[in-house]
C-alpha cells in the first residue's frame, strides 16, 4: 500500500469527537474527574471552618496533595501493567471511604494530626481519570494529527472541571453546609469512577501487550525530558494552589466570602477559553518554543497578582493568568507524548498530574501561612516564585525536550508520515 502523507492542518474538535468509541469514555470520564477540582478547596473550606485557621486548612490540603503526587505515578504504572479497571475500582472505593472519614473527623473536632492521617489515603486514592482518558486517546490516535487536538480538548475539559468544581464546592460549603463540598466530591468519585471503569472496550492495551521489541517497558521518569516537564508542571501547580488559598483569604479579608467562587471561576474560565483556542489553531511554531513563550507569559502575569487589592482588578488579572496556563499545560502534554514509549503512557501522564498536585500542595501550605501571618496579598507571591523557578529550569534544560528519534508510527510500520516541529 502506498504511503500517505497526512496534512499538518489541525483537524477540528468535531472530527475528534467522531472518533469511534470516544463518547463512551469521555462522558463518564468527565463526571469522574470533577472531584479532582473539588477536593482541595473542599478541604480548605471545611477545615478552616472547624479550626479557624487558613494555615491549618492549607496544611491538611497539602498532605492530601503530596500524598496524591507520590502515589499517582504508581497508580499510573499499575494501570499500564494490569489495566485501568483493575486499578480504578479499588481506588474509588478507598477514596470514598477516606474522604468520608476525613469529614467525620473534622466535624467531630478531631486534633490536627488525626486530620493529617486521614488526608494521606484520601490523596493517595484520588482516581487518575484524566491521565487514563489521555492514555485512551493516545491508544486510538497514536501517530495522527489528531493527537494535539486531543491534548487541547483534554486541557479544556480539565479546565472546565476547574470552573465547575471549585464553584460547586464553594457554593455547597457556604450555602448548604461546610462539609457538603467534600460529601459531593466523594459521591461523584464513587458513581463517576465506577461508570468509567465499566467502559472496558476502550481500555488501552496493558502488560506485555503494550510493549514491543522496539519499545520495551521503561519507567517514564527515566526519560530526562519527562523530568523537565515535571518541574514545569510543579510551577503550574503553584499557581492553582496559591490562587485557591489566596482568593479565599482575600474574599474573607474584605468581608465578601461569596466572591471566592466567582473569582476562581473567572480564573479557570480564562484557562478554558485559551484551551479552546489552542485546539483550533494549526501552529507554525514548534512545541518547545510554544512552551517557553507560554510559560514566560504565565510567569509575567502571576508576578502581578500580589499587587492587586480590588475585586475587579483581581478578577481581570486572574483571567489573564488563566489564559496563560492553558498554552503551557496543553503544550506540555503534547511534548510528553513525543518522549515516551507506549508502555509508559499512563505513568507519564500521572507524573505530570501528580506534579501539578504536588506544586498545588506546597503552594497551599505556604500561601496559607503567609495569608495568616501577613495578609491575603502575600499569598499571591507563591505563584510568582513557583513559575519563575520553573521557567528558569525550562530555559536551562530545553534541549532535553527533543522528541524521540524513532516515532511509534515508524516502529509499527504504518505508512502515515506526520511532520513534527521541534522548536
Amino acid at each position: 500500500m502506498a504511503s500517505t502523507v497526512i496534512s499538518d492542518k489541525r483537524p477540528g474538535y468535531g472530527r475528534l469527537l467522531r472518533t469511534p468509541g470516544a463518547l463512551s469514555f469521555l462522558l463518564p470520564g468527565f463526571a469522574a474527574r470533577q472531584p479532582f477540582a473539588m477536593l482541595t478547596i473542599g478541604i480548605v473550606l471545611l477545615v478552616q471552618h472547624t479550626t479557624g485557621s487558613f494555615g491549618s486548612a492549607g496544611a491538611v490540603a497539602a498532605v492530601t496533595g503530596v500524598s496524591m503526587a507520590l502515589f499517582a505515578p504508581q497508580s499510573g504504572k499499575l494501570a499500564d501493567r494490569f489495566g485501568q479497571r483493575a486499578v480504578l475500582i479499588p481506588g474509588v472505593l478507598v477514596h470514598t471511604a477516606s474522604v468520608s472519614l476525613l469529614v467525620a473527623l473534622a466535624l467531630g473536632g478531631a486534633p490536627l494530626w488525626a486530620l493529617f492521617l486521614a488526608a494521606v489515603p484520601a490523596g493517595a486514592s484520588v482516581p487518575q481519570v484524566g491521565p487514563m482518558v489521555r492514555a485512551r486517546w493516545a491508544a486510538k490516535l497514536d501517530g495522527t494529527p489528531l493527537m494535539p487536538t486531543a491534548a487541547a480538548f483534554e486541557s479544556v475539559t480539565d479546565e472546565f472541571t476547574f470552573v465547575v468544581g471549585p464553584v460547586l464546592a464553594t457554593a455547597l460549603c457556604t450555602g448548604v453546609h461546610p462539609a457538603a463540598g467534600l460529601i459531593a466530591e466523594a459521591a461523584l468519585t464513587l458513581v463517576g469512577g465506577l461508570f468509567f471503569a465499566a467502559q472496558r472496550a476502550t481500555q488501552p492495551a496493558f502488560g506485555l501487550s503494550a510493549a514491543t521489541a522496539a519499545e520495551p517497558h521503561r519507567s517514564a521518569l527515566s526519560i530526562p525530558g519527562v523530568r523537565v516537564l515535571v518541574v514545569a508542571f510543579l510551577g503550574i501547580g503553584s499557581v492553582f494552589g496559591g490562587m485557591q488559598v489566596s482568593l479565599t483569604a482575600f474574599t474573607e479579608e474584605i468581608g465578601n466570602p461569596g466572591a471566592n467562587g466567582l473569582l476562581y471561576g473567572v480564573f479557570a474560565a480564562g484557562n478554558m477559553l485559551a484551551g479552546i483556542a489552542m485546539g483550533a489553531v494549526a501552529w507554525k511554531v514548534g512545541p518547545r518554543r510554544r512552551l517557553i513563550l507560554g510559560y514566560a507569559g504565565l510567569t509575567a502575569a502571576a508576578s502581578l497578582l500580589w499587587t492587586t487589592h480590588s475585586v475587579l482588578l483581581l478578577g481581570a488579572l486572574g483571567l489573564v493568568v488563566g489564559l496563560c496556563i492553558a498554552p503551557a499545560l496543553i503544550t506540555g502534554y503534547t511534548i510528553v507524548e513525543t518522549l515516551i514509549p507506549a508502555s509508559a503512557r499512563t505513568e507519564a501522564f500521572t507524573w505530570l498530574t501528580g506534579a501539578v498536585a504536588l506544586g498545588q500542595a506546597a503552594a497551599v501550605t505556604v500561601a496559607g501561612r503567609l495569608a495568616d501571618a501577613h495578609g491575603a496579598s502575600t499569598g499571591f507571591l507563591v505563584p510568582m516564585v513557583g513559575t519563575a523557578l520553573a521557567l528558569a529550569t525550562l530555559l536551562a534544560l530545553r534541549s532535553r525536550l527533543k522528541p524521540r528519534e524513532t516515532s511509534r508510527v515508524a516502529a509499527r510500520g504504518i505508512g502515515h508520515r506526520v511532520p513534527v516541529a521541534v522548536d
Side-chain angles (χ1 to χ4, degrees), residues 272-287:
M272 183 180 66
L273 292 172
I276 293 172
M278 285 285 293
V281 174
W283 293 96
K284 301 295 185 182
V285 178

Side-chain angles (χ1 to χ4, degrees), residues 220-237 287-288 291-292 295 328-329 331-333 335-336 339-340 348 351-352 355-356 386-402:
L221 203 60
S222 68
I223 300 170
V226 173
R227 297 196 293 268
V228 175
L229 291 174
V230 164
V231 174
F233 276 56
L234 282 169
I236 293 172
R288 283 197 297 179
L291 179 61
I292 291 172
Y295 220 100
L329 269 176
T331 309
Y333 277 117
I335 290 175
V336 79
L339 301 174
I340 58 172
W351 272 113
L352 299 188
V356 173
T387 53
L389 292 175
L391 176 61
T393 302
L394 277 175
L395 290 171
L397 302 177
R398 61 187 181 276
S399 63
R400 299 188 180 185
L401 300 178
K402 183 179 179 180

Side-chain angles (χ1 to χ4, degrees), residues 68 72-73 76-77 80 84 128-139 147 150-151 154 158 204 220-221 226 229-230 233 329-330 332-342 344-356 408:
M68 194 201 89
K77 187 179 294 186
D80 284 328
Q84 296 182 358
Q128 298 303 309
V129 176
M132 289 181 180
V133 171
R134 284 184 165 90
R136 294 188 186 214
W137 277 126
M147 268 309 300
E154 284 306 304
D158 282 341
L221 203 60
V226 173
L229 291 174
V230 164
F233 276 56
L329 269 176
I330 292 170
Y333 277 117
T334 301
I335 290 175
V336 79
E337 174 62 20
T338 69
L339 301 174
I340 58 172
R345 276 179 181 143
T346 310
E347 182 195 353
F349 292 140
T350 50
W351 272 113
L352 299 188
T353 303
V356 173
R408 293 189 198 87

Side-chain angles (χ1 to χ4, degrees), residues 36 39-40 43 59-75 94-95 98 115-128 350-351 353-355 357-362 365:
F36 181 78
L39 183 61
T40 299
I43 291 174
V60 175
V63 170
T64 304
V66 170
S67 181
M68 194 201 89
L70 294 176
F71 282 88
Q74 308 313 313
S75 171
V94 171
H95 183 74
S98 301
L115 300 183
F116 288 152
L117 289 179
V120 172
S125 58
V126 171
Q128 298 303 309
T350 50
W351 272 113
T353 303
L358 184 59
Q360 181 175 341
T365 303

